[in-house]
Amino acid sequence: MTENQPSPAPAGGAPGDASGGFPEGLAAYDAVVLAGGASRRLGGTDKPAVRVGGRPLLDRVLAACADARTTVVVADPRPTKRPVVWAREDPPGGGPLAALDAGLRHLTAEHVVLLSADLPFLDRRTVGALLASLRRGAADGVLLTDSDGRDQPLVAAYRTGALRRELAALTARHGGPAGLPLRRLTGALDLLRISDPVASFDCDTWDDIATARARIREHGHVLDEWISAVKDELGIDLDVDTGLLLDLARDAAHGVARPAAPLTTFLVGFAAAQGGGDRDAVAEAVRKAVALAGRWTEEDTPEAAPSATPSADADADADADGDGAAADGAAAESGGTAPGAAPGTRPDAG
């Protein structure tokens, strides 16, 4: 079975939503992340620790399945941005089926997302689409296919019971899962496929790493990537309206001064945190700051300057005229001496 496009998020879902792009109230899911490979094509480099966009590949994958009730990482323990359960296959290095078996021992949910630790572009929306497709149908699992149409069984959602059933069958036939390829299990499952060349892109070589690093810096992706990286670094789980904040920064820079842009957005963030820290608190803080920037700008326009006061000017002119007339009258009564003239001097004296 094949679907050509990922399922759209239901109304209200969006990338970065706490619901992962699928409706709240659906059954919980667990996640297993396989992160213990030898990385031979990277010269033995610790691939899950390789950074793309300033974040280790493993942390990027863990952010995509952050809604999982239990997340098991099959690898030696290491620092991660969020808490996980650590497991190790038996024997260590026994392959993906042995790693899957080790991870399944810690799970209780009906559905499980199975992921590799080298997926730089996987996000919550894709995880939500996989789970939504699985829950709508009767298939044992839903997996992504790459740009060449090849199955990617480590970017997939499965029914936990189906995985345990086939693992038990393989163990009965072969004495255990160690050393067996993953296709021995997936080949026995009824699978639904979703084509997604971006989310299924994995980093096996240094060329793949370079491609991933270049793509996130493309104009159409860099802001979303940067915001995601900052949220992950700061431990913030908030759907940020970047357009709203950029408009505020523009208004502050143009209407006040350029340095006002970052300072204003910082203060808005601080105010939003005091107001509860959710999306509504951010929107309210932005609304107030935008209104203030608008009032500030209005005062700097010619139309906002106070108009001239004719009555005051006229009174001043009248006072000046009256003082002159009075002076002339006094001069006439005193024999015509003009103000400032020497005593005994007449204006017409010649």
Side-chain angles (χ1 to χ4, degrees):
M1 303 171 68
T2 301
E3 287 187 6
N4 291 326
Q5 297 296 332
S7 303
D17 281 352
S19 62
F22 54 92
E24 295 181 3
L26 289 180
Y29 75 94
D30 292 331
V32 173
V33 181
L34 305 189
S39 305
R40 293 183 180 87
R41 285 191 280 177
L42 289 177
T45 297
D46 182 13
K47 182 164 62 171
V50 173
R51 296 181 181 275
V52 173
R55 292 186 290 167
L57 284 169
L58 176 57
D59 278 336
R60 296 179 72 93
V61 173
L62 291 178
C65 61
D67 302 310
R69 183 169 65 188
T70 300
T71 298
V72 181
V73 179
V74 185
D76 290 330
R78 68 182 66 216
T80 55
K81 284 296 181 183
R82 70 180 186 88
V84 299
V85 175
W86 295 97
R88 204 67 174 99
E89 69 272 25
D90 185 21
L97 267 185
L100 173 59
D101 182 50
L104 286 175
R105 297 175 186 273
H106 298 271
L107 307 187
T108 58
E110 180 182 353
H111 303 119
V112 56
V113 173
L114 179 61
L115 306 168
S116 61
D118 60 354
L119 302 165
F121 304 126
L122 184 69
D123 58 20
R124 290 187 182 185
R125 189 183 188 93
T126 303
V127 170
L130 288 167
L131 289 164
S133 294
L134 180 65
R135 288 163 174 152
R136 282 198 303 265
D140 294 324
V142 182
L143 55 76
L144 297 189
T145 58
D146 64 16
S147 57
D148 295 321
R150 294 174 298 192
D151 287 356
Q152 298 297 318
L154 295 182
V155 199
Y158 298 97
R159 299 188 190 280
T160 308
L163 295 180
R164 289 193 171 118
R165 180 191 71 221
E166 295 306 323
L167 272 171
L170 288 170
T171 298
R173 289 198 297 270
H174 300 279
L180 296 176
L182 189 59
R183 63 176 179 274
R184 288 286 187 92
L185 184 149
T186 57
L189 298 176
D190 176 24
L191 298 176
L192 182 67
R193 292 164 175 83
I194 297 175
S195 175
D196 193 333
V198 175
S200 64
F201 180 88
D202 58 355
C203 293
D204 292 325
T205 67
W206 286 113
D207 284 344
D208 294 335
I209 297 292
T211 297
R213 287 172 171 171
R215 186 180 187 278
I216 67 170
R217 286 169 171 76
E218 294 174 0
H219 179 69
H221 307 285
V222 66
L223 273 183
D224 287 340
E225 285 288 346
W226 173 245
I227 292 299
S228 295
V230 172
K231 290 194 297 184
D232 193 46
E233 187 70 19
L234 299 179
I236 298 172
D237 185 11
L238 177 67
D239 184 15
V240 178
D241 189 337
T242 54
L244 195 65
L245 290 173
L246 288 174
D247 287 346
L248 169 61
R250 178 201 61 208
D251 293 345
H254 292 174
V256 184
R258 290 184 66 182
L263 294 173
T264 304
T265 52
F266 167 78
L267 293 173
V268 162
F270 189 83
Q274 290 186 315
D278 58 12
R279 185 186 179 95
D280 291 340
V282 174
E284 176 63 12
V286 169
R287 183 193 65 78
K288 290 180 177 179
V290 167
L292 175 61
R295 295 195 301 270
W296 187 287
T297 302
E298 287 174 1
E299 293 178 8
D300 196 34
T301 60
E303 292 80 3
S307 59
T309 53
S311 58
D313 293 343
D315 290 344
D317 292 342
D319 290 343
D321 292 343
D323 291 343
D328 290 345
E333 291 177 0
S334 60
T337 304
T345 303
R346 293 179 58 85
D348 55 352

